[in-house]
Amino acid sequence: MLRSIARLYVFKQATPSRSFHTCRTALAQAQARAGSSSGVQDAPIVQYVKRKVEERKKLESELSGEALSEEDIRRVRKIKELEPLQEAWTEWNRAKESLQETAALLNDPDPTMRSMAEEEYATLSESINALVEDTFPSLLVPPSQTAKLSAIIELRAGVGGSESALFTADLVRMYTRAAQAMGWGVSMVSSNILETGGMKDAIMEVKGQGVYDALRWESGVHRVQRVPATEASGRVHTSTVSVMVLPLTEEAEATSSDDDLFKMSDIKLEVMRARGAGGQHVNKTESAVRLTHIPTGITVSMQDERSQHQNRRRAFQILRARLMDQKLNQEMLERRDIRRSLVRSADRSEKIRTYNYAQDRVTDHRLGMSLKNLASVMDGEGLQDFIKALQERHRDEMLEDVLAQQ
């Protein structure tokens, strides 16, 4: 699991138990790594928090005693914004002072007093760790603007023919199981099932709090290496599936009104007869809908629903999701230098993960992380380990950006 930026600069200590022997071990670690508080004091994240607290004090001193001016209102808002950081900084200083006071008792001639001091020293060291590694970063990293969004997952078979289509169906099952395990709602929007087995493409809808933020890093090329059931010689084949995770906003009626992401004058709407098996409405009514966003060339076709109105609503939903995804990625590119790894991870053509059946291994190439239990990943449970690691990686990079601004 990746370590946060803060962990690169401060001591790391195992969680101590209350036994005398473990406290001795924890004490030795704490003394070796945090005995001199200057090292922790000089950590970039600590220095950054200190500057923010000093900025807050300066703003307080600049407030006028009379009626608040517009500039005073701006200062008050900033002071309020920095209040949680001030509280965390106060707790940090209190713990640091207590640690220094406790250090004086570590050589007490009374064994009982010395034992209590050792245990308290280890506990305070752990508290300081938590403040630097968790509390400070959580207050410094800007809150996600997409935290409440659900997601649409689009999967398309790539290289590998029928084997790629079979793996597309396997990934649909994996994401379905993972969503159910995490308490999210999941449904199939559309799918192109082949007679030979598997899916040529599929669109899934996953609803719940924080779904998009959790799954957005699944976008990219997923590669599978395994022996197809039809392979008589036992030769391993390599196939790929392209996955795209899109932000799903609250549904809006597909009317003729403009949207915050597009203008209706930029939309070319076509209706046609649905094709393929599916009931009496197929080939008899013009229920299928195709939308084209002229400025970007994005095209969405929908025919899985039974009425033109339903297909129109779904098509606008998918179009809106694709345009939102494009907007978010553009903002990401504008915020970051082209050399940064997160920009590379936003490239949908990049191979992000390999599923090797012969070695019972799944490797995420962005993390350099491998799990040996492939079945657990395909059942959705093991996938959560990758999701969590990718979210931590994103938080670490966001924190690094914040610290680099000063």
Side-chain angles (χ1 to χ4, degrees):
M1 198 65 66
L2 295 181
R3 303 171 69 190
S4 69
I5 299 300
R7 292 173 191 162
L8 297 176
Y9 302 101
V10 300
F11 55 89
K12 180 66 180 173
Q13 168 188 331
T15 303
S17 70
R18 294 310 181 202
S19 68
F20 179 80
H21 175 73
T22 305
C23 282
R24 282 284 189 182
T25 304
L27 172 66
Q29 293 174 341
Q31 287 177 316
R33 300 172 185 175
S36 174
S37 61
S38 60
V40 180
Q41 281 286 111
D42 293 337
I45 190 170
V46 175
Q47 291 300 309
Y48 183 88
V49 173
K50 182 180 179 181
R51 286 196 297 270
K52 284 296 180 181
V53 170
E54 291 172 348
E55 176 187 336
R56 185 175 186 271
K57 289 181 179 178
K58 182 180 178 183
L59 290 171
E60 287 178 326
S61 66
E62 292 173 348
L63 289 175
S64 61
E66 302 176 357
L68 293 179
S69 63
E70 290 186 6
E71 186 65 21
D72 282 338
I73 293 175
R74 185 193 65 80
R75 292 190 184 104
V76 169
R77 287 175 179 169
K78 187 65 176 178
I79 290 170
K80 186 66 175 177
E81 178 185 321
L82 293 173
E83 185 176 345
L85 205 59
Q86 172 69 68
E87 294 174 353
W89 180 250
T90 300
E91 185 179 352
W92 152 269
N93 279 296
R94 189 182 298 118
K96 185 186 67 174
E97 291 172 4
S98 297
L99 188 72
Q100 293 171 345
E101 293 172 359
T102 305
L105 301 174
L106 294 177
N107 297 319
D108 194 282
D110 184 348
T112 302
M113 182 63 71
R114 189 167 62 248
S115 176
M116 293 174 61
E118 290 168 352
E119 184 174 347
E120 180 67 13
Y121 194 94
T123 300
L124 289 168
S125 298
E126 182 182 347
S127 297
I128 292 176
N129 256 341
L131 284 164
V132 175
E133 296 180 6
D134 299 317
T135 306
F136 287 169
S138 67
L139 294 173
L140 294 176
V141 174
S144 171
Q145 300 298 312
T146 55
K148 296 182 179 180
L149 296 185
S150 298
I152 289 175
I153 307 177
E154 293 190 11
L155 304 96
R156 297 184 184 279
V159 177
S162 60
E163 179 61 20
S164 176
L166 291 171
F167 190 58
T168 300
D170 291 340
L171 290 182
V172 167
R173 177 179 177 274
M174 179 184 75
Y175 289 125
T176 300
R177 292 288 187 89
Q180 291 171 343
M182 300 180 81
W184 298 331
V186 57
S187 60
M188 185 67 70
V189 175
S190 68
S191 61
N192 190 347
I193 301 176
L194 303 179
E195 294 181 359
T196 55
M199 297 179 178
K200 182 179 179 180
D201 53 65
I203 299 178
M204 306 170 62
E205 181 181 271
V206 186
K207 287 192 171 184
Q209 186 80 5
V211 170
Y212 176 69
D213 280 357
L215 296 179
R216 63 185 300 184
W217 314 114
E218 291 300 300
S219 293
V221 176
H222 295 240
R223 182 177 68 172
V224 59
Q225 295 176 323
R226 63 184 179 186
V227 179
T230 56
E231 176 59 55
S233 63
R235 185 168 59 91
V236 174
H237 287 226
T238 297
S239 307
T240 63
V241 174
S242 176
V243 175
M244 183 180 294
V245 179
L246 307 172
L248 178 62
T249 57
E250 291 294 326
E251 287 191 26
E253 289 297 322
T255 64
S256 59
S257 61
D258 290 346
D259 189 278
D260 58 342
L261 294 170
F262 60 84
K263 295 180 179 179
M264 285 302 300
S265 59
D266 292 333
I267 302 298
K268 179 182 178 182
L269 190 152
E270 301 171 273
V271 294
M272 62 203 75
R273 293 182 179 182
R275 295 174 294 177
Q280 295 180 355
H281 73 293
V282 174
N283 294 322
K284 293 186 178 181
T285 61
E286 293 188 336
S287 60
V289 173
R290 180 166 61 206
L291 301 177
T292 302
H293 185 243
I294 297 172
T296 61
I298 294 175
T299 300
V300 178
S301 298
M302 192 62 57
Q303 68 170 27
D304 285 46
E305 303 292 349
R306 298 190 63 83
S307 72
Q308 184 186 121
H309 175 76
Q310 291 173 321
N311 281 321
R312 177 188 171 105
R313 181 182 62 83
R314 279 293 193 187
F316 270 103
Q317 184 184 52
I318 300 298
L319 176 63
R320 193 173 289 108
R322 290 182 181 176
L323 290 172
M324 173 67 80
D325 177 70
Q326 187 180 71
K327 178 182 177 182
L328 291 173
N329 277 283
Q330 182 60 37
E331 290 173 353
M332 183 188 301
L333 289 169
E334 290 174 355
R335 286 197 308 266
R336 294 174 179 272
D337 188 271
I338 193 64
R339 294 169 295 177
R340 299 298 300 273
S341 61
L342 191 57
V343 173
R344 293 199 302 271
S345 70
D347 182 1
R348 296 281 161 64
S349 65
E350 181 184 11
K351 177 189 67 180
I352 63 169
R353 194 174 297 150
T354 296
Y355 305 75
N356 191 306
Y357 277 70
Q359 299 178 11
D360 189 31
R361 170 180 53 81
V362 181
T363 299
D364 192 290
H365 303 289
R366 298 160 297 179
L367 298 169
M369 171 182 171
S370 294
L371 294 180
K372 291 295 291 182
N373 192 344
L374 185 145
S376 175
V377 175
M378 300 309 295
D379 282 337
E381 182 179 353
L383 179 64
Q384 297 177 40
D385 293 333
F386 286 119
I387 290 174
K388 182 179 179 181
L390 288 163
Q391 286 181 299
E392 289 184 358
R393 172 179 180 257
H394 177 56
R395 191 197 75 160
D396 292 349
E397 291 178 335
M398 292 290 287
L399 177 60
E400 186 179 358
D401 281 350
V402 170
L403 299 181
Q405 292 173 5
Q406 298 297 316

